[in-house]
Amino acid sequence: QKIQDAGKLLLDLINDTLTISKGNSGKIKLLETPVNTNHLINPVRETIAVLAEAKGVDITWDLTKYAPKTVLADHLSVEKIFLNLLNNAVKFTPAGGHIWVTIQEEPVMNSVYTMVTTIKDDGIGMSTEFLPHIFEPFSQEQQIGYAGVGTGLGLSIVKQYVDLMGGTITVESQLQRGTTFKIHLPFKLMPSATATVSLNTENIDYSVLRGKKILLCEDNILNQQIALALLKNKGIVVEVAENGQIGVNKFTTSTENEFNAILMDIRMPAMDGFETTKAIRALKRADAKTIPIIAMTADIFPEDIKECLDAGMNNHLGKPIDAKLLYQTLVLELTKK
């Protein structure tokens, strides 16, 4: 567990550093798709509730002045904003403390829907001298019991994403009295019929995965072993292809609808994931057009996800694989029809 925790911290540091670097060079692009605002909020609520409960921090949500809308948004970036801010609130609020989250909306103007979120805590707060520096990379105020917590990049990334979305973020804080962040995020309002399919993560029937057959296109032996263990744990039958060319061959020689889904690595010899996906989609058989193809790759930036979707894939999973998210994504894709 300690090795896993240390590895995750290192991975977070690398990913955050890359995000800061790409932001500074203007290379971060938003991947905007139609999404219901509930699907931006609910996954964050579930994640933070677990963290707050584990630490003994009470968290209260006020949504009385909010109504869900379908908007055009980069949902991963929005979730990253909320998760970073709420994770900080939990991290810097001692056990027995409180966090209050209020979400409300401003009147729609010119088809722009603005979500206003206030995150307030009664934690350790920040000094007046430190406040002007909170959005600077690697900036952390050293306080007893909290020295060296995190990477000091979270708020810099939040500010980059908020600015990229055309929003604003303000902060008020006092030492030992708590901190309040207020975020305005504008979104283009969309007709509700265009909302993407999402999954109620509270009542998932994982039994639908049992007996399904999946083609796993993955050249790395360790990654194969991990994926096989996770998939077989749910009773899934797995056929492994060591590279893209073998993946195409195995799909081509299979009977129609023999495979229920394909997990697709991107960086493979012979044929990469993009070439493999396009080759499968081009086959003259009905299931080639409809089979769910899910990217499973360490390339996790918005432009990477867009490239996967543009190549004909249905969804995207980042490595290292989160088992729960893998199962949820498979259920989502296999129950869409």
Side-chain angles (χ1 to χ4, degrees):
Q1 184 62 48
K2 289 179 180 178
I3 292 170
Q4 192 172 37
D5 290 344
K8 185 179 184 305
L9 179 62
L10 181 60
L11 181 67
D12 288 343
L13 177 59
I14 293 169
N15 284 336
D16 287 350
T17 303
L18 288 171
T19 300
I20 291 291
S21 176
K22 296 187 82 166
N24 289 340
S25 58
K27 292 183 178 179
I28 292 181
K29 305 295 181 185
L30 296 178
L31 177 61
E32 296 180 318
T33 57
V35 60
N36 188 288
T37 51
N38 273 350
H39 302 151
L40 300 175
I41 297 168
N42 290 342
V44 175
R45 291 186 67 176
E46 293 171 14
T47 301
I48 293 301
V50 174
L51 297 177
E53 183 179 3
K55 191 172 180 183
V57 173
D58 180 66
I59 183 165
T60 303
W61 293 77
D62 180 0
L63 306 179
T64 55
K65 295 181 180 179
Y66 155 82
K69 298 287 192 300
T70 302
V71 299
L72 195 64
D74 182 333
H75 72 94
L76 290 178
S77 298
V78 175
E79 286 179 12
K80 195 165 187 69
I81 290 170
F82 290 148
L83 282 172
N84 267 319
L85 292 173
L86 286 164
N87 186 54
N88 273 359
V90 173
K91 188 187 301 180
F92 296 108
T93 299
H98 305 81
I99 299 171
W100 299 270
V101 184
T102 302
I103 299 179
Q104 54 192 36
E105 57 194 59
E106 293 184 347
V108 175
M109 296 184 63
N110 300 320
S111 296
V112 174
Y113 168 85
T114 301
M115 181 187 294
V116 183
T117 305
T118 303
I119 300 172
K120 180 180 179 181
D121 66 65
D122 57 5
I124 65 172
M126 292 174 280
S127 66
T128 304
E129 294 76 19
F130 181 71
L131 280 179
H133 306 286
I134 63 169
F135 296 121
E136 295 174 5
F138 300 104
S139 254
Q140 287 182 305
E141 186 170 31
Q142 301 301 307
Q143 296 194 38
I144 296 174
Y146 291 88
V149 176
T151 64
L153 290 172
L155 289 178
S156 298
I157 291 172
V158 165
K159 185 68 165 63
Q160 282 192 347
Y161 279 127
V162 170
D163 289 347
L164 202 58
M165 294 176 193
T168 61
I169 179 169
T170 57
V171 58
E172 297 177 359
S173 189
Q174 286 182 283
L175 277 174
Q176 306 309 319
R177 301 196 59 178
T179 301
T180 301
F181 283 95
K182 192 166 189 177
I183 312 99
H184 288 70
L185 291 179
F187 303 105
K188 182 180 179 183
L189 198 60
M190 301 291 288
S192 59
T194 62
T196 53
V197 178
S198 190
L199 185 66
N200 181 352
T201 59
E202 295 178 4
N203 299 298
I204 300 176
D205 181 12
Y206 291 115
S207 67
V208 301
L209 299 177
R210 185 164 296 279
K212 295 293 190 290
K213 187 172 183 179
I214 287 180
L215 176 60
L216 172 65
C217 297
E218 171 65 68
D219 66 304
N220 183 282
I221 300 297
L222 179 59
N223 289 338
Q224 285 179 16
Q225 292 172 343
I226 293 170
L228 280 168
L230 293 175
L231 295 169
K232 289 181 177 180
N233 185 49
K234 292 297 181 186
I236 296 171
V237 179
V238 186
E239 183 82 22
V240 176
E242 294 81 3
N243 61 53
Q245 183 62 65
I246 295 173
V248 174
N249 294 342
K250 289 196 172 188
F251 185 84
T252 303
T253 56
S254 68
T255 58
E256 195 160 307
N257 297 313
E258 177 181 341
F259 290 110
N260 300 104
I262 301 173
L263 292 174
M264 185 70 68
D265 185 27
I266 299 302
R267 302 177 188 277
M268 295 184 291
M271 291 177 70
D272 65 26
F274 303 124
E275 295 171 317
T276 306
T277 298
K278 291 173 183 177
I280 290 173
R281 293 296 189 210
L283 294 173
K284 297 186 182 303
R285 46 188 281 181
D287 61 344
K289 307 293 187 294
T290 60
I291 187 169
I293 302 179
I294 302 166
M296 205 160 66
T297 173
D299 299 332
I300 58 173
F301 286 105
E303 56 267 33
D304 299 319
I305 299 172
K306 183 177 186 301
E307 192 172 3
C308 290
L309 299 178
D310 289 346
M313 300 182 209
N314 301 80
N315 216 317
H316 176 284
L317 290 169
K319 289 178 181 174
I321 292 299
D322 179 314
K324 185 177 179 182
L325 187 57
L326 169 63
Y327 300 144
Q328 289 176 355
T329 303
L330 285 171
V331 172
L332 171 63
E333 294 301 335
L334 293 174
T335 56
K336 273 185 178 179
K337 298 178 184 178

